[in-house]
Amino acid sequence: MTIQAAIGDLSTLLGQRLTCSKGELAQHGQSETHFPISPPDAVAYPETTEEVASVLKICAEHHCPVVGWGTGTSLEGQAQAFQGGVCVDFARMNKVLEISQEDMHVRVQPGVTRQALNEELRATGLFFPVDPGANASIGGMASTRASGTTAVRYGTMRDNVMALEVVTAKGEVIRTGSAARKSSAGYDLTGLFVGSEGTLGLITELTLRLQGIPEAISSAVCAFPEVDQAVNCVIDTIQMGIPVARIELVDIDSVRAVNVYSGMTLPPKPHLLLEFHGSDTGVAEQAETFGAIAEEHGGSGFDWATKPEDRNALWTMRHNAYHAIIASRPGCRAVVTDVCVPISRLAEAVETCRADLKAHDVNGPILGHVGDGNFHAILMFDPDDADEKQRVLDASRRLVDLALSLGGTSTGEHGIGIGKLGYMSREHGPAWSVMGAIKTALDPDNIMNPGKLVPPRN
Amino acid sequence: MTIQAAIGDLSTLLGQRLTCSKGELAQHGQSETHFPISPPDAVAYPETTEEVASVLKICAEHHCPVVGWGTGTSLEGQAQAFQGGVCVDFARMNKVLEISQEDMHVRVQPGVTRQALNEELRATGLFFPVDPGANASIGGMASTRASGTTAVRYGTMRDNVMALEVVTAKGEVIRTGSAARKSSAGYDLTGLFVGSEGTLGLITELTLRLQGIPEAISSAVCAFPEVDQAVNCVIDTIQMGIPVARIELVDIDSVRAVNVYSGMTLPPKPHLLLEFHGSDTGVAEQAETFGAIAEEHGGSGFDWATKPEDRNALWTMRHNAYHAIIASRPGCRAVVTDVCVPISRLAEAVETCRADLKAHDVNGPILGHVGDGNFHAILMFDPDDADEKQRVLDASRRLVDLALSLGGTSTGEHGIGIGKLGYMSREHGPAWSVMGAIKTALDPDNIMNPGKLVPPRN
């Protein structure tokens, strides 16, 4: 058995840091979503790049599948070992290696989490802005090209990873990009590995852009009669050049759920939640200009706050919105959709989605990173009700069809894994085969996270 | 002869739009820099994507080299047909196809120039911000991953191309990316083709992000005693979060040249030239905050202006600086360096470069996109003086060595072509072979701009 032979060699290499204990395997076979538990055959805990290279050389020799693991918070089964093999857990490679205040960048190992990184940065006056909600590992965030609430201002992982160290499928260590802010020196390999979900290699180090902690931060909430008025308000806000740091849509069903869960008293209407970053006068100017635009679009109850406790309450509520929605129906599980459309089509997409869910008796409150045109419907189902689960999966598929027909994408930030593999051909057409050709060139034996993202090998 | 067979078939396809006239071939064999004239065997003027696909199918069948051509302003020989073959000139594919004001994006053909695009956008209140100086074609700018003076605020072509239509080496038409602002749907093929210099396929359509024309624009100049004070002023400016739209360094030799050429009266000191974009109060606040920072770093003569004629005079002077420098020594040619380093190492890089040029009797004024850590030394030589030309090429090589030793890159924005091919192995190590593997996978017969960017085929 090739996997067992690899495990033997890995055990010699790593000793106690290669485990086949049932508990560890089960833990690394789970995800936060609806896929079946799929434990790997072993879990490796490397401590250095050289060890990762040795792990991959052993796996290459034995044609043993390899799946990277950060915190296990991916939503499309990216970190699950559906073909067995070795899970490489980066828990012991979680250091901040170097902070450059003058260059406003940081070099980290992949296992450090977003929150741990920002804790270490606190004294520098700098922060890492990408915030997907979950306290994910930086390596995992890069691998799924994560983003979240702040992407409207600071971009996604695509925009915030400057350079990588990667171990290839052959066990070779390469460096992509540099510490310079830009380069035209050949193919953008950094951009290729970001979002590749561990199918081309394992990331062992990242250089990230940082931002200065703004002098002033204010947050705001505003209610709207209908979703399309909220969306049109967002379009005008962005066209006016107001550099909103966050601008989030919470639909009426989500408002009801967060009111119950977080003890809020928002009126039962679609809301925008905002954050402004800048100087004291800049933040005031942004908030006031936004307030005037919101009023033109029927906004009401506009209120902005600069007190940290008020802001924290607001964004804690937003971050807990998923749990609030799940808690609104005890015992349920959920499929979380992730379509992203051009912002001009966002109101249409949200309203069509809501009507479709209602017509098919699917329960799905909506949360949206509305400045990017990205929104999530939390499609709940009773795990013991096969018919409801099927209705949810069908609704999810129709929503992707809708997004593609509007010029959008099946996934704004959650990635492909196996959950969205079925949409890749439709979304990319012959370009999906180009992805497959790159995969074959860089991982000819198909050991890197096999069965995910690219077309199945013949 | 395979190239002649391809030309026969292309002539049948394109009629008069396939030419072998000596004048046209010579024109498409030139570049603005020091490489020898290398005419292609024919020039094709396709008018549609389908024609480009047919051209590439014919060239694939006959293993005939293909080189794309925009305006011929690339600086590393990217558009020159050093192995002969067919030059595909996009002059007849120069349309703006669709402007979306709500989504702030535009769909264009590759032959449209930067200035023509901004002319068409003027009435919309939007603009395309990337400005490499030359009035290059958008397709060419994408292919070399161009940037220029505004990258510090708006990013490079990497950040501003959302989606592409590309014809592959097989003549297949693919689409990469989408009109959505972000996506996690698989490998970032858009990012892979941007900067690939026509070695993987030909770009036939681009979707670009646009920006709102700011309510207010002001420009400023400030003199500094030494380069390192100017650079430290830039570092503080960026750390303070001042969103400068341009921040350019002009060294003392360049100041002398532009004073003569453009009739300016700048004091003979290193200068920073700046532009601020924002609201009226925002721009005033930015300029004043910058002025205070500059004063701390020994800046003098700080002055800012919002009158369009003053701004235009300043940026015309900056855009003409290269010609001003060349004109300062009639009959000379130049090697233009393009290193980019972490900004913390920029003062050291510039000063070391200046000392090195002086020690080797090389004449090389310096201009820098200092907010990115990118600077150009304009290394002049007498084309009839082989010894001086060699000294210039040696100095250019030492400067790249310096930049790489400081964690930087050989090229911030000009690309590789053949001019920087010799540095790729040092800059990327084994990652260069990964680029080669991708090239082989996507262009197995090596017909797309052969001899550029990737390792030579065995």
Side-chain angles (χ1 to χ4, degrees):
Chain A
M1 179 64 185
T2 57
I3 291 176
Q4 289 310 321
I7 290 174
D9 289 358
L10 291 170
S11 188
T12 305
L13 174 75
L14 297 172
Q16 298 284 325
R17 290 186 284 107
L18 190 282
T19 175
C20 298
S21 91
K22 275 205 170 157
E24 294 258 22
L25 299 184
Q27 185 205 328
H28 290 83
Q30 291 178 33
S31 83
E32 293 197 357
T33 179
H34 60 94
F35 303 108
I37 293 182
S38 308
D41 292 290
V43 181
Y45 291 94
E47 291 183 340
T48 63
T49 297
E50 293 65 38
E51 281 189 350
V52 176
S54 299
V55 167
L56 286 191
K57 278 181 189 147
I58 289 168
C59 290
E61 189 188 334
H62 296 289
H63 290 204
C64 172
V66 182
V67 186
W69 184 275
T71 60
T73 50
S74 60
L75 293 169
E76 299 294 354
Q78 283 97 335
Q80 285 178 277
F82 296 107
Q83 301 187 16
V86 175
C87 173
V88 178
D89 186 320
F90 286 98
R92 288 169 181 251
M93 292 178 68
N94 65 347
K95 288 174 200 61
V96 174
L97 299 171
E98 185 196 6
I99 301 170
S100 171
Q101 286 192 258
E102 285 189 317
D103 292 314
M104 298 173 71
H105 67 226
V106 65
R107 218 156 43 80
V108 303
Q109 290 185 312
V112 68
T113 64
R114 175 177 73 78
Q115 289 175 2
L117 172 59
N118 278 321
E119 277 301 318
E120 285 220 36
L121 291 172
R122 188 161 293 182
T124 65
L126 300 169
F127 75 111
F128 181 66
V130 183
D131 176 4
N135 186 23
S137 71
I138 296 294
M141 286 168 62
S143 294
T144 50
R145 206 185 296 130
S147 48
T149 52
T150 59
V152 64
R153 167 77 171 261
Y154 298 106
T156 72
M157 289 304 281
R158 176 184 199 272
D159 310 297
N160 288 285
V161 178
M162 302 171 63
L164 295 173
E165 180 187 76
V166 173
V167 179
T168 68
K170 285 187 282 187
E172 190 171 46
V173 180
I174 65 168
R175 288 192 165 271
T176 73
S178 76
R181 295 226 133 204
K182 66 183 190 184
S183 172
S184 286
Y187 304 156
D188 181 8
L189 296 183
T190 305
L192 182 64
F193 283 101
V194 171
S196 66
E197 302 186 354
T199 62
L200 300 176
L202 289 178
I203 295 170
T204 48
E205 190 185 300
L206 308 94
T207 304
L208 309 171
R209 276 187 187 231
L210 301 175
Q211 300 288 331
I213 295 174
E215 181 188 329
I217 301 177
S218 72
S219 60
V221 289
C222 191
F224 291 84
E226 300 292 341
V227 166
D228 66 341
Q229 285 148 307
V231 169
N232 287 329
C233 173
V234 173
I235 291 174
D236 282 359
T237 300
I238 288 172
Q239 286 210 328
M240 282 287 290
I242 302 177
V244 283
R246 308 186 202 242
I247 189 161
E248 295 285 303
L249 174 72
V250 185
D251 85 341
I252 190 168
D253 295 329
S254 300
V255 164
R256 290 194 181 107
V258 299
N259 274 347
V260 171
Y261 189 86
S262 299
M264 310 287 282
T265 54
L266 299 174
K269 291 179 178 181
H271 276 70
L272 292 179
L273 316 183
L274 296 99
E275 191 164 275
F276 305 105
H277 293 178
S279 64
D280 283 320
T281 54
V283 160
E285 188 184 43
Q286 289 177 49
E288 278 155 25
T289 311
F290 172 80
I293 296 170
E295 203 178 312
E296 283 172 33
H297 291 281
S300 61
F302 175 64
D303 193 20
W304 63 282
T306 55
K307 276 196 287 187
E309 54 270 34
D310 295 342
R311 284 195 281 116
N312 289 342
L314 186 71
W315 295 109
T316 301
M317 178 269 275
R318 170 64 187 85
H319 275 163
N320 289 337
Y322 172 75
H323 298 292
I325 290 163
I326 295 294
S328 72
R329 190 170 153 187
C332 78
R333 299 216 72 177
V335 169
V336 182
T337 72
D338 182 38
V339 297
C340 187
V341 298
I343 193 168
S344 66
R345 315 305 294 272
L346 181 60
E348 178 183 353
V350 171
E351 291 299 3
T352 306
C353 172
R354 284 172 54 89
D356 181 83
L357 297 180
K358 194 171 174 188
H360 293 83
D361 191 23
V362 174
N363 190 206
I366 287 172
L367 302 165
H369 308 311
V370 70
D372 303 319
N374 182 208
F375 68 93
H376 308 301
I378 318 298
L379 307 180
M380 288 176 276
F381 63 92
D382 175 347
D384 297 326
D385 182 342
D387 179 68
E388 187 178 37
K389 182 173 181 186
Q390 192 56 50
R391 289 204 312 280
V392 157
L393 292 171
D394 290 346
S396 173
R397 183 183 44 68
R398 284 192 304 274
L399 180 54
V400 171
D401 289 345
L402 173 70
L404 296 181
S405 74
L406 297 175
T409 174
S410 60
T411 171
E413 57 185 19
H414 293 170
I416 300 302
I418 60 158
K420 295 211 159 63
L421 201 60
Y423 305 129
M424 288 293 276
S425 177
R426 277 211 45 213
E427 177 159 349
H428 297 290
W432 197 32
S433 303
V434 173
M435 296 186 201
I438 293 169
K439 163 76 171 174
T440 302
L442 270 51
D443 178 23
D445 294 324
N446 197 25
I447 64 167
M448 304 306 306
N449 211 357
K452 316 272 174 74
L453 196 145
V454 293
R457 245 6 119 78
N458 291 325
Chain B
M1 182 60 186
T2 57
I3 291 177
Q4 288 311 319
I7 289 175
D9 288 358
L10 291 170
S11 189
T12 305
L13 175 75
L14 298 172
Q16 298 283 323
R17 291 187 283 108
L18 190 282
T19 175
C20 298
S21 92
K22 275 206 170 156
E24 294 257 23
L25 298 185
Q27 187 205 326
H28 289 83
Q30 291 176 33
S31 83
E32 293 196 356
T33 180
H34 60 94
F35 302 108
I37 293 182
S38 307
D41 292 290
V43 181
Y45 291 95
E47 291 182 340
T48 62
T49 297
E50 292 66 36
E51 280 189 351
V52 176
S54 298
V55 167
L56 286 191
K57 277 180 189 148
I58 290 168
C59 290
E61 188 188 337
H62 296 289
H63 291 205
C64 172
V66 182
V67 186
W69 184 274
T71 59
T73 51
S74 59
L75 292 169
E76 300 293 353
Q78 283 96 334
Q80 286 178 275
F82 296 108
Q83 300 187 18
V86 176
C87 172
V88 178
D89 186 323
F90 285 98
R92 287 168 180 252
M93 291 178 69
N94 65 347
K95 289 175 200 62
V96 174
L97 299 170
E98 184 197 7
I99 301 170
S100 171
Q101 287 191 256
E102 284 188 319
D103 292 314
M104 298 176 70
H105 67 227
V106 64
R107 219 156 41 83
V108 303
Q109 290 185 311
V112 68
T113 65
R114 173 178 74 78
Q115 289 176 2
L117 171 59
N118 277 322
E119 277 301 318
E120 286 220 38
L121 290 173
R122 189 161 294 183
T124 64
L126 300 170
F127 75 112
F128 181 66
V130 184
D131 176 5
N135 187 22
S137 70
I138 296 293
M141 286 167 61
S143 294
T144 51
R145 207 184 296 131
S147 48
T149 51
T150 59
V152 64
R153 167 77 172 259
Y154 298 107
T156 73
M157 289 304 280
R158 177 185 198 273
D159 310 297
N160 288 283
V161 177
M162 301 170 65
L164 295 173
E165 180 188 76
V166 173
V167 179
T168 69
K170 286 187 280 186
E172 189 171 45
V173 180
I174 64 168
R175 288 191 165 271
T176 72
S178 77
R181 295 227 133 203
K182 65 182 191 184
S183 172
S184 287
Y187 303 157
D188 181 7
L189 296 182
T190 305
L192 182 64
F193 282 102
V194 170
S196 67
E197 302 187 352
T199 62
L200 299 176
L202 290 178
I203 296 171
T204 48
E205 191 184 298
L206 307 94
T207 304
L208 308 171
R209 274 186 188 233
L210 301 175
Q211 300 289 331
I213 295 175
E215 181 187 329
I217 302 178
S218 72
S219 59
V221 290
C222 190
F224 291 84
E226 301 291 343
V227 166
D228 66 343
Q229 286 148 306
V231 168
N232 287 330
C233 174
V234 173
I235 290 174
D236 282 359
T237 301
I238 289 173
Q239 286 210 327
M240 282 286 290
I242 302 178
V244 284
R246 308 186 204 241
I247 189 161
E248 295 284 302
L249 174 72
V250 185
D251 85 342
I252 190 167
D253 295 330
S254 298
V255 164
R256 289 195 180 104
V258 300
N259 274 346
V260 171
Y261 188 86
S262 298
M264 309 288 280
T265 54
L266 299 174
K269 290 180 178 178
H271 275 70
L272 292 179
L273 317 182
L274 295 99
E275 191 164 275
F276 305 105
H277 293 178
S279 65
D280 283 320
T281 54
V283 159
E285 187 183 45
Q286 289 178 47
E288 279 155 23
T289 309
F290 172 80
I293 295 170
E295 204 178 311
E296 281 172 32
H297 292 281
S300 62
F302 174 65
D303 193 19
W304 62 283
T306 54
K307 275 195 289 188
E309 53 270 34
D310 296 340
R311 283 195 283 117
N312 288 343
L314 185 72
W315 295 109
T316 301
M317 179 268 275
R318 170 63 187 86
H319 275 163
N320 289 337
Y322 172 74
H323 298 294
I325 289 165
I326 296 293
S328 72
R329 190 171 154 186
C332 79
R333 298 216 73 176
V335 169
V336 182
T337 72
D338 182 37
V339 298
C340 186
V341 297
I343 193 168
S344 66
R345 315 306 294 270
L346 182 61
E348 178 184 354
V350 171
E351 292 299 3
T352 306
C353 172
R354 285 173 54 90
D356 181 82
L357 297 180
K358 194 169 173 190
H360 293 84
D361 192 23
V362 173
N363 191 205
I366 287 172
L367 301 164
H369 307 311
V370 71
D372 303 318
N374 182 209
F375 68 92
H376 308 302
I378 318 297
L379 307 181
M380 289 176 276
F381 62 93
D382 175 347
D384 297 326
D385 182 342
D387 179 67
E388 188 179 38
K389 183 173 179 184
Q390 193 56 50
R391 290 204 311 280
V392 157
L393 292 172
D394 290 345
S396 173
R397 182 184 44 70
R398 283 192 303 274
L399 180 54
V400 170
D401 288 345
L402 173 69
L404 297 181
S405 75
L406 297 175
T409 174
S410 60
T411 173
E413 57 186 18
H414 294 171
I416 300 303
I418 61 159
K420 295 213 159 63
L421 202 58
Y423 305 129
M424 287 293 274
S425 177
R426 277 210 47 212
E427 178 160 348
H428 297 290
W432 197 31
S433 303
V434 173
M435 296 186 200
I438 293 169
K439 164 76 170 174
T440 302
L442 270 52
D443 178 22
D445 294 324
N446 196 25
I447 63 167
M448 303 307 305
N449 210 358
K452 316 273 173 73
L453 197 148
V454 293
R457 248 358 124 80
N458 292 326

